[in-house]
């Protein structure tokens, strides 16, 4: 399986968008989507990251399951 990482563009200043698996997919056949974790290594240069409407900062984590269930924006 090949992963995808696409650029997410938000057209309206102050707007938001859910990060779906159309934009970010971690592929690891040995682990479930809950076990596949992403770690925020640096703050976004523009905007913020939210998980369940709570701010994600450097060192925060979210999972592929979070992405698959529209919890990250």
């Amino acid at each position: 399986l090949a992963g995808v990482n696409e650029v997410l563009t938000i057209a309206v200043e102050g707007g938001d968008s859910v990060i779906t698996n159309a934009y970010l997919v971690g592929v690891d056949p040995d682990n479930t989507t809950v076990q596949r974790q992403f770690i925020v290594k640096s703050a976004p240069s523009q905007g913020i990251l939210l998980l369940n409407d709570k701010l994600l900062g450097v060192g925060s984590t979210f999972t592929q399951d979070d992405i698959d269930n529209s919890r990250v924006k």
Side-chain angles (χ1 to χ4, degrees), residues 26-47:
V27 178
D28 182 352
D30 297 330
N31 292 297
T32 68
T33 57
V34 174
Q35 293 171 318
R36 284 182 235 148
Q37 292 191 357
F38 297 89
I39 300 171
V40 179
K41 293 288 192 173
S42 62
S45 59
Q46 297 180 359

Side-chain angles (χ1 to χ4, degrees), residues 2-71:
V4 296
N5 296 300
E6 298 293 335
V7 175
L8 177 65
T9 303
I10 301 178
V12 178
E13 185 174 337
D16 65 15
S17 185
V18 173
I19 299 173
T20 68
N21 56 19
Y23 295 100
L24 181 62
V25 175
V27 178
D28 182 352
D30 297 330
N31 292 297
T32 68
T33 57
V34 174
Q35 293 171 318
R36 284 182 235 148
Q37 292 191 357
F38 297 89
I39 300 171
V40 179
K41 293 288 192 173
S42 62
S45 59
Q46 297 180 359
I48 59 173
L49 285 172
L50 300 171
L51 172 60
N52 292 324
D53 293 321
K54 295 181 182 168
L55 184 64
L56 290 173
V58 174
S60 297
T61 62
F62 58 93
T63 67
Q64 186 65 52
D65 186 67
D66 292 326
I67 293 169
D68 293 347
N69 287 289
S70 303
R71 297 182 198 117

